[in-house]
Amino acid sequence: MPPIDLPSPNFDARALPISMIVLHYTGMESAEAAIDRLRDPEAKVSAHYVVDEDGQVICMVDEGDRAWHAGASHWREIDDVNSASIGIEIVNPGHEWGYVPFPDAQIDAVIRLVAEIKDRYEITRGNIVGHSDIAPARKRDPGELFPWHRLARLRLALPRPTQSLMDPFWTEAGFCLALERFGYDVTDRMAAIMAFQRRFRPELIDGEIDAECRMILLALLLPKPRGDA
């Protein structure tokens, strides 16, 4: 399906070069409701793209402009994430409206879109993130059901490390220091830990730092983390 243009008035000028892709879910009852909100001047939110459940891509803000999708956020020393990123909203009711798995056609379209943007701006895998990664105290999207492994298999996201894992036996403070070094805002420690788990260990999101979390994080900090994806 060719993309559909539904421009949003909610954008301004970038202050940074594009170096990130941020994935969201819409978290609303329908695609129509989400699109209407993203085009509402009073809402003051937008995204560059929306991907519907059937794989239809809707273009809302030109990539050269700064869309308003990230809000107060931080990733790897960047605080103005909106200026540095392309925002992709994926239609899904989210945790508040009955969170459901993402259809294959939708993820296929997300993969094609992410691959094109990644190549266009030479974005690294570590800078393709979820909204919860950049705003752990506020957001949970795209959530634990998002199939990051499918993107990782194509080198469009970091894999969940599964090979040559070693436990560094960090204290809680040591783990949070490593988490900050990886890219997270750890001002709210519990939220940052849960965001990390939601992304890299989604089957158990409890905010507890255990050996598996320590091993995964250590592997991610080493060159070329390897996983089964």
Side-chain angles (χ1 to χ4, degrees), residues 45-159:
V45 292
S46 62
H48 294 92
Y49 299 99
V50 175
V51 182
D52 208 340
E53 293 172 323
D54 61 359
Q56 179 67 65
V57 175
I58 298 100
C59 306
M60 304 197 76
V61 174
D62 186 275
E63 289 181 5
D65 293 318
R66 178 182 181 270
W68 304 339
H69 59 95
S73 52
H74 170 90
W75 185 252
R76 295 184 172 177
E77 300 183 355
I78 294 176
D79 291 319
D80 185 0
V81 173
N82 278 332
S83 270
S85 65
I86 299 290
I88 301 174
E89 290 276 358
I90 305 165
V91 173
N92 188 292
H95 292 84
E96 293 186 12
W97 296 100
Y99 191 38
V100 293
F102 298 83
D104 286 341
Q106 186 179 43
I107 296 304
D108 290 343
V110 169
I111 285 172
R112 288 192 295 270
L113 183 58
V114 168
E116 291 169 3
I117 297 167
K118 180 181 187 294
D119 288 346
R120 192 149 50 239
Y121 300 103
E122 299 182 345
I123 296 171
T124 64
R125 292 186 299 165
N127 275 354
I128 299 173
V129 295
H131 201 182
S132 59
D133 295 314
I134 64 171
R138 299 188 301 111
K139 297 295 181 177
R140 292 185 285 175
D141 58 308
E144 60 275 9
L145 297 180
F146 186 76
W148 285 104
H149 63 280
R150 288 194 55 191
L151 278 70
R153 194 179 299 141
L154 299 170
R155 297 188 65 79
L156 300 177
L158 287 171

Side-chain angles (χ1 to χ4, degrees), residues 198-217:
R198 182 169 280 110
R199 170 68 180 82
F200 292 104
R201 210 267 304 272
E203 68 276 10
L204 180 58
I205 306 168
D206 60 2
E208 298 291 329
I209 301 169
D210 55 24
E212 186 175 42
C213 290
R214 292 191 299 265
M215 290 189 292
I216 289 171
L217 180 53

